[in-house]
């Protein structure tokens, strides 16, 4: 059952990417921040958008969708996407594949205590604190190169 859910998500997101709707939605959701999504203050809006999407469609398919949405992102942009989607997925049970796998495995052995209601009191505050503290650190101290050799943005040193 769980494997079919993930297969379905990837097929749905892969097909959905081809329509151009995710790209349009992302541009609309980001507004004036679409071209500068990882600069302050836009990065906080970007994290919110990723958080919502990650908890509607799960974080792994959202990253797959974002890859089609901005294929020419910088290394720093991708660090922010990876961090945000990974942490954001812990907000709810649906947001993280790991959460769903644990709940599914527990249910297989008769333990139905790992539920959304039990996850939320820890998942929501810990996720929000981690997201915004981590985003602050990432925007203050860039842990990725400022340029991309693949995109020809790095100046060669003489």
């Amino acid at each position: 059952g769980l494997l079919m859910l993930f297969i379905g998500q990837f097929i749905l997101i892969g097909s959905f990417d081809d329509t151009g709707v995710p790209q349009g939605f992302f541009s609309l959701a980001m507004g004036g921040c679409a071209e500068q999504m990882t600069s302050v203050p836009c990065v906080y809006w970007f994290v919110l958008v990723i958080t919502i999407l990650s908890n509607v469609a799960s974080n792994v398919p959202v990253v797959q969708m974002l890859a089609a949405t901005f294929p020419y992102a910088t290394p720093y942009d991708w660090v922010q996407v990876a961090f945000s989607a990974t942490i954001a997925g812990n907000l709810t049970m649906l947001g993280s594949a790991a959460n769903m796998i644990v709940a599914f495995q527990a249910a297989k052995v008769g333990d139905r205590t790992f539920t959304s209601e039990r996850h939320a009191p820890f998942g929501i505050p810990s996720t929000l604190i981690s997201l915004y503290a981590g985003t602050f650190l990432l925007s203050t101290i860039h842990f990725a190169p400022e340029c991309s050799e693949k995109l020809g943005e790095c100046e060669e040193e003489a």
Side-chain angles (χ1 to χ4, degrees):
L2 191 59
L3 182 59
M4 293 307 293
L5 172 68
F6 291 126
I7 291 170
Q9 283 180 328
F10 282 105
I11 291 171
L12 179 65
I13 295 295
S15 299
F16 196 49
D17 284 344
D18 295 338
T19 67
V21 171
Q23 295 84 345
F25 169 80
F26 191 77
S27 291
L28 182 66
M30 289 301 294
C33 288
E35 297 299 319
Q36 52 188 357
M37 63 194 163
T38 54
S39 64
V40 176
C42 291
V43 69
Y44 292 98
W45 183 249
F46 179 59
V47 168
L48 179 64
V49 170
I50 289 176
T51 300
I52 292 167
L53 291 174
S54 290
N55 285 280
V56 169
S58 193
N59 58 355
V60 175
V62 166
V63 171
Q64 178 188 357
M65 181 184 73
L66 289 174
T69 302
F70 51 95
Y72 300 108
T74 68
Y76 171 71
D77 294 340
W78 285 115
V79 168
Q80 187 64 58
V81 168
F83 171 76
S84 300
T86 298
I87 301 298
N90 291 310
L91 186 72
T92 64
M93 289 286 289
L94 177 63
S96 170
N99 290 343
M100 291 191 292
I101 291 167
V102 168
F104 183 76
Q105 291 301 319
K108 279 176 66 173
V109 296
D111 182 357
R112 301 203 187 290
T113 60
F114 192 64
T115 64
S116 294
E117 293 81 17
R118 289 189 181 245
H119 181 269
F122 175 75
I124 293 171
S126 65
T127 298
L128 295 176
I129 290 167
S130 297
L131 270 173
Y132 286 95
T135 299
F136 173 77
L137 283 174
L138 280 172
S139 63
T140 305
I141 306 165
H142 287 254
F143 293 98
E146 294 291 332
C147 62
S148 171
E149 289 180 23
K150 184 174 182 179
L151 299 178
E153 297 172 348
C154 297
E155 293 181 24
E156 291 186 32
E157 299 198 20

